[in-house]
Amino acid sequence: MNLKPSILTLSLALAASAFAASNVPVYLDETRPLEERVEDALSRMTLREKVAMCHAEGKFASPGVARLGIPDLWMSDGPHGVRAEINWNDWGYSGRTNDSITAFPALTALAATWNPELSFNYGNAIAEEALYREKDVMLGPGVNIYRTPLNGRNFEYMGEDPYLAGELVVPYIKGMQQNGVAACVKHYALNNQEKWRGHIDVNLSDRALNEIYLPAFKRAIIDGGSWSIMGAYNKVRGQHACHNELLLNKILKDDWKFDGVVITDWGGAHDTREAALYGLDLEMGSYTNGLTSESAFTTDNYYLANPYLNMLEKGEVPMSTLDDKVRRLLRLNFRTAMNRQKPFGSVATPEHYAVAEEIGNEAIVLIKNNPVTKKGSPLLPIQADKYKSILVVGDNATRNLMAGGGSSELKPKDIVTPLDGLKAIYGDKIEYAQGYTAGRPMYGHADVIPQATVDSLRAQAVAMAKDAGLVVFIGGLNKNHFQDCEGGDRLEYGLPFGQPELINELQAVNPNIVVVLLTGNAVEMPWASKVPAIVEGWYLGSMAGKSIASVLSGKINPSGKLPFSIPARLEDNAAHHFGEISYPGDSIRQEYLEDILVGYRWHDSKKIPALYPFGHGLSYTTFQYGKPTASAKTISANESLTISIPVKNTGNMEGKETVQLYIGDDNASVLRPVKELKNFHKINLTPGAEEIVTFTVKPDDLKFYDDKTSSWKAEPGKFKAYIGSSSTDIRATVPFELK
Ligand code: BGC
């Protein structure tokens, strides 16, 4: 065999590739350190190319540098799936037929799993879908704290507790970014209501800022390593959050050492000088009022476009502001669009459906489960052989709950509705009556339903309920305007569309009734004492119906725990307690007068019990907590304390329990909540099995934010560790002292 020609070819090829390698510009050479590549690219860019990078070119795209082969950045909402393609320069959908995806459970539902592992899988799966859809940045997750049940966007966030939100946001980001897709944590910060979101000026104490509203963002940046963050629409202490000296320059970039990109919310920039100086890097969506209006305004006129160029040329703002922004944008580009190591991705795979379903299974909260008669067994799981028929009532049993809601709206490839899910298990036993109608999911206004329609739907459902074995009511909120929807807050705490009256009438004719709520928010439940069983089933995305049917039927033992308190009355919620200036503000300004006492911190401290407390969630089995043991009775400032407690499944079904650890400071010189969540473990136990759950109480867990010294501080004295199955169902208390 003559080897010569092939050796020749090989050596020519090697020489060519060596030649090519030596000619690869530093910024394209992935073997070089990131910062070297950033500096190299920056040094090759013209002033205009740099400015161009700092603002949008289309609704969801920002420019790269065509001359240098640096690609554009493509973004998508977020946070529950990859949104359908939007037109280049208006909010219409492009009508593509290849952009349907997996809809994952809403983030409130993810929070209700109390399961960080599932959050990692969520982030990973959504990133795989983003890759297939060729997106570089996913606009999510959101970690604004749940302050009022009226906030139209609570369903996109992770509840009322900063520790819980922090524990869940970190793995979501890690799971996502390992694929070369950036997370964009939002909306930084204090966008805790939709009403007047574009201008309301939020004022609060340093303690509330640091103890309640910032920690989940901080964890997203420092522990999650998020490559981008989205500014909020609102003002914070007089300055818009998207160019805010305190939030962006001081806290995010100086204190937390964030090296990624600050992106505006769409239309969140308002001033060139402030945008140049106060921490904004990328301006998107200007002159579109969120989702609602369009304008012919071109991107050249954006605050960070020609007006910025002019100011730079005149020396009115330093060039260093531009270089800093561009460095960050290049870094983001190298991490995502220009990352050659990233996989190709996939959409609507069985694996992604399994992730969505598993999260759904663990998210559903069994709020109440009583027997119908004194001697009977609890109503759930459904004992189907007891009933000739099962009547499903409610608009949400069949509604596409991924439509509407604002920017998080999704176009799922497949949807299993709750009615589909129940029919798959119970077949012909299932009957259906709509019971009420909610109208179409329209942005900006709500359908008015004629009274005759309301009456006839109700009469039909009540008549059918009389003859049914079991009634499964599936209602709640939806994604219509003024429900769980961006751009406005809810107008009432109660269930809309006549549902309270309907529930009352249904239970009056048939006591075998379970109320399943599909919401992203707490609702008023004046009917709670009249129905034996209540289930919170959230917005669970493509596989919602499977998870709901699995839990109702007992195929899955529920293990979700509420990520927010459900107050009996709206005025029992802290933000509402202080009147209009606290919520929604006077249209210009707002004061967070409840300060650090948000959610259960308020209910506990003011002794105003919630109807259903934070951390609450029942199971089809029972868990017995044993006697706790602690590594010490007294600890010094730098010491940790270890607390262990045995937990046993004393029922006869395998199940998961989230064991929660709260810490309370008994003698503080400042107001402190009675207790605060500092750790939790979710464990799985077969019947009869016992596990010892061990918590480490770290020195930081004892601290409060001291606004006099602007630092975290623990005061010596008596503390208590509370271990419980919810924030009020405390099973063991361990006192200890800090020296
Ligand atoms: C929302 C953001 C969203 C953006 C782009 C804004 O109205 O507040 O959360 O990512 O639009 O759709």
Side-chain angles (χ1 to χ4, degrees):
M1 202 168 32
N2 185 357
L3 290 178
K4 270 185 190 151
S6 56
I7 288 175
L8 184 69
T9 325
L10 186 67
S11 42
L12 280 175
L14 282 175
S17 75
F19 177 76
S22 66
N23 275 309
V24 168
V26 171
Y27 74 95
L28 287 178
D29 183 352
E30 281 185 296
T31 62
R32 302 283 197 127
L34 180 65
E35 294 310 311
E36 237 178 73
R37 297 174 62 203
V38 167
E39 290 310 317
D40 181 58
L42 187 74
S43 70
R44 295 167 192 261
M45 290 170 68
T46 66
L47 177 62
R48 276 170 191 275
E49 283 168 345
K50 289 182 188 175
V51 172
M53 260 199 159
C54 300
H55 59 87
E57 54 179 348
K59 273 275 177 286
F60 285 92
S62 72
V65 189
R67 183 179 61 85
L68 298 177
I70 296 176
D72 295 352
L73 277 178
W74 282 89
M75 303 165 216
S76 174
D77 287 304
H80 307 142
V82 187
R83 194 180 184 184
E85 291 303 323
I86 302 278
N87 290 334
W88 182 251
N89 205 23
D90 66 62
W91 283 110
Y93 283 107
S94 72
R96 272 163 60 166
T97 51
N98 65 348
D99 59 354
S100 50
I101 42 68
T102 305
F104 293 90
L107 292 189
T108 355
L110 177 66
T113 67
W114 294 58
N115 188 334
E117 213 177 292
L118 293 182
S119 185
F120 184 89
N121 298 344
Y122 190 138
N124 179 58
I126 212 169
E128 288 178 353
E129 303 224 339
L131 284 170
Y132 192 79
R133 289 274 308 280
E134 301 183 312
K135 304 299 177 202
D136 306 306
V137 181
M138 283 300 293
L139 304 174
V143 286
N144 294 88
I145 290 293
Y146 186 115
R147 177 174 183 255
T148 157
L150 299 191
N151 178 14
R153 284 187 99 170
N154 278 337
F155 72 101
E156 291 185 66
Y157 305 137
M158 303 201 199
E160 73 185 26
D161 184 76
Y163 178 78
L164 177 63
E167 279 298 285
L168 289 163
V169 76
V170 170
Y172 181 115
I173 294 167
K174 290 194 165 159
M176 174 170 280
Q177 293 192 162
Q178 69 173 353
N179 293 284
V181 174
C184 182
V185 185
K186 64 194 191 183
H187 305 89
Y188 181 71
L190 299 155
N191 184 181
N192 302 311
Q193 68 192 48
E194 287 298 284
K195 185 156 182 158
W196 298 324
R197 69 173 178 178
H199 63 268
I200 195 77
D201 179 17
V202 179
N203 290 278
L204 76 175
S205 71
D206 279 346
R207 272 193 77 192
L209 182 66
N210 283 281
E211 291 186 23
I212 306 293
Y213 297 100
L214 292 186
F217 285 105
K218 185 176 181 180
R219 295 221 38 210
I221 300 304
I222 295 178
D223 299 337
S226 187
W227 292 331
S228 67
I229 189 166
M230 186 186 291
Y233 278 131
N234 47 281
K235 288 183 176 170
V236 175
R237 294 185 180 162
Q239 204 169 40
H240 272 285
C242 284
H243 29 76
N244 188 292
E245 209 177 354
L246 171 70
L247 288 180
L248 300 176
N249 282 356
K250 160 98 183 48
I251 296 175
L252 178 71
K253 292 182 173 176
D254 284 354
D255 295 352
W256 301 349
K257 312 270 175 272
F258 176 64
D259 73 355
V261 172
V262 174
I263 304 178
T264 55
D265 199 340
W266 269 230
H270 298 272
D271 181 85
T272 299
R273 199 180 144 270
E274 289 200 359
L277 296 178
Y278 300 145
L280 178 62
D281 301 311
L282 175 59
E283 176 187 4
M284 299 296 295
S286 290
Y287 290 89
T288 64
N289 169 23
L291 289 174
T292 47
S293 61
E294 318 293 349
S295 140
F297 210 82
T298 68
T299 53
D300 289 348
N301 293 318
Y302 273 34
Y303 297 100
L304 284 185
N306 287 344
Y308 186 30
L309 183 65
N310 289 340
M311 289 185 87
L312 287 161
E313 280 173 339
K314 287 190 199 144
E316 289 170 5
V317 286
M319 284 291 171
S320 57
T321 61
L322 178 64
D323 284 346
D324 179 61
K325 295 179 203 308
V326 175
R327 280 193 182 96
R328 292 167 181 277
L329 284 154
L330 287 168
R331 231 172 257 141
L332 178 61
N333 209 310
F334 292 142
R335 285 166 168 162
T336 59
M338 292 183 80
N339 172 355
R340 290 197 191 87
Q341 315 304 323
K342 64 186 184 188
F344 288 113
S346 53
V347 155
T349 62
E351 290 76 17
H352 295 173
Y353 285 163
V355 169
E357 187 177 343
E358 201 185 346
I359 294 168
N361 292 346
E362 290 208 18
I364 295 170
V365 180
L366 181 62
I367 290 184
K368 176 175 181 182
N369 192 19
N370 283 354
V372 176
T373 55
K374 275 201 185 117
K375 282 187 190 146
S377 53
L379 187 73
L380 294 175
I382 293 173
Q383 291 152 279
D385 38 345
K386 275 176 51 181
Y387 313 115
K388 262 206 243 122
S389 67
I390 299 173
L391 175 68
V392 177
V393 180
D395 198 62
N396 278 353
T398 59
R399 193 179 186 84
N400 171 7
L401 289 163
M402 279 70 81
S407 57
S408 64
E409 174 171 70
L410 292 173
K411 181 174 153 189
K413 189 148 191 280
D414 296 295
I415 302 177
V416 182
T417 67
L419 188 64
D420 297 335
L422 288 165
K423 276 186 177 162
I425 297 180
Y426 300 113
D428 292 345
K429 251 191 194 174
I430 299 288
E431 294 168 351
Y432 176 66
Q434 192 181 350
Y436 73 94
T437 174
R440 292 164 296 168
M442 281 183 305
Y443 198 76
H445 76 271
D447 271 346
V448 179
I449 315 294
Q451 193 57 40
T453 312
V454 175
D455 293 342
S456 77
L457 286 174
R458 186 182 300 169
Q460 183 205 25
V462 174
M464 287 172 76
K466 271 185 205 146
D467 301 327
L470 173 76
V471 179
V472 180
F473 176 80
I474 305 185
L477 304 175
N478 59 37
K479 303 290 185 65
N480 290 14
H481 197 51
F482 296 137
Q483 302 289 317
D484 282 321
C485 183
E486 182 180 339
D489 282 350
R490 294 166 62 200
L491 303 176
E492 54 181 353
Y493 183 39
L495 281 173
F497 319 119
Q499 293 176 80
E501 297 77 14
L502 177 59
I503 294 171
N504 279 335
E505 288 187 30
L506 291 170
Q507 65 79 28
V509 298
N510 193 331
N512 296 328
I513 178 170
V514 47
V515 173
V516 181
L517 296 170
L518 307 188
T519 74
N521 254 321
V523 297
E524 188 179 34
M525 303 185 199
W527 36 263
S529 61
K530 296 187 199 155
V531 299
I534 305 172
V535 171
E536 174 56 67
W538 313 112
Y539 301 121
L540 296 181
S542 296
M543 296 294 119
K546 282 202 177 182
S547 297
I548 288 165
S550 295
V551 165
L552 294 178
S553 66
K555 186 178 155 205
I556 294 288
N557 192 350
S559 65
K561 301 271 187 182
L562 293 174
F564 50 75
S565 317
I566 302 183
R569 307 168 310 161
L570 189 60
E571 55 271 34
D572 293 350
N573 162 281
H576 292 270
H577 178 86
F578 293 96
E580 270 187 22
I581 191 64
S582 167
Y583 175 87
D586 66 4
S587 90
I588 295 167
R589 222 182 124 80
Q590 182 176 29
E591 308 272 350
Y592 282 15
L593 293 176
E594 77 284 15
D595 200 44
I596 54 167
L597 298 181
V598 175
Y600 66 89
R601 290 165 166 81
W602 170 263
H603 291 288
D604 272 3
S605 302
K606 298 292 171 186
K607 300 197 169 62
I608 302 172
L611 179 64
Y612 297 109
F614 174 81
H616 168 74
L618 305 172
S619 165
Y620 294 147
T621 189
T622 45
F623 298 101
Q624 194 182 69
Y625 287 55
K627 231 178 140 263
T629 50
S631 59
K633 282 199 172 109
T634 307
I635 50 169
S636 58
N638 302 319
E639 249 179 315
S640 293
L641 177 73
T642 307
I643 300 176
S644 299
I645 186 160
V647 179
K648 186 173 181 183
N649 183 342
T650 45
N652 39 32
M653 189 174 180
E654 181 171 355
K656 293 186 176 169
E657 168 74 329
T658 298
V659 184
Q660 303 161 36
L661 173 83
Y662 297 83
I663 302 285
D665 182 349
D666 287 350
N667 2 74
S669 65
V670 294
L671 171 79
R672 299 203 67 179
V674 172
K675 60 182 180 311
E676 299 181 274
L677 183 72
K678 293 296 174 186
N679 211 332
F680 58 85
H681 288 301
K682 190 164 188 173
I683 54 170
N684 185 62
L685 293 174
T686 52
E690 181 177 280
E691 189 173 321
I692 297 192
V693 176
T694 300
F695 294 110
T696 306
V697 181
K698 298 177 292 315
D700 282 353
D701 297 337
L702 310 184
K703 293 181 179 165
F704 64 93
Y705 187 83
D706 181 8
D707 41 19
K708 290 197 200 84
T709 57
S710 302
S711 61
W712 292 86
K713 180 172 169 185
E715 290 176 336
K718 293 194 163 115
F719 287 80
K720 277 193 197 85
Y722 302 88
I723 301 164
S725 178
S726 84
S727 63
T728 59
D729 184 4
I730 299 301
R731 305 290 181 88
T733 305
V734 180
F736 62 95
E737 199 168 329
L738 177 68
K739 269 195 289 202

